[in-house]
């Protein structure tokens, strides 16, 4: 299954959740927000939200600065 993650095509197994994808990409604890096809997915739903072939996933981390 192909998912576009932050603009890059990536292949994953079928029925992967956002949480599982973060583990595969070794991004656990580094991502603060996720949007699938421009819709924000709440962090407490990442373990249940299953991705589909062709989904566009944006993963965001907030950085402070001044």
């Amino acid at each position: 299954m192909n998912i576009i993650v932050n603009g890059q095509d990536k292949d994953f197994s079928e029925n992967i959740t956002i949480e599982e994808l973060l583990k595969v990409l070794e991004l656990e604890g580094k991502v603060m927000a996720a949007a699938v096809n421009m819709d924000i997915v709440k962090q407490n739903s990442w373990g249940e939200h299953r991705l589909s072939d062709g989904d566009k996933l944006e993963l965001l981390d907030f950085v402070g600065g001044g």
Side-chain angles (χ1 to χ4, degrees):
M1 161 169 85
N2 183 266
I3 298 171
I4 300 168
V5 180
N6 291 352
Q8 296 182 349
D9 288 340
K10 299 202 179 274
D11 290 314
F12 297 96
S13 61
E14 296 290 325
N15 297 317
I16 194 168
T17 65
I18 295 173
E19 188 174 88
E20 292 166 339
L21 180 141
L22 293 175
K23 287 179 185 175
V24 169
L25 296 178
E26 298 179 355
L27 293 174
E28 296 171 282
K30 298 178 183 175
V31 174
M32 303 303 290
V36 178
N37 302 322
M38 302 300 288
D39 291 322
I40 298 292
V41 179
K42 292 183 180 182
Q43 196 168 5
N44 62 354
S45 299
W46 291 357
E48 296 108 36
H49 190 100
R50 301 239 171 245
L51 298 166
S52 300
D53 189 45
D55 276 349
K56 293 180 182 177
L57 177 64
E58 294 294 325
L59 303 173
L60 306 171
D61 184 16
F62 300 108
V63 178

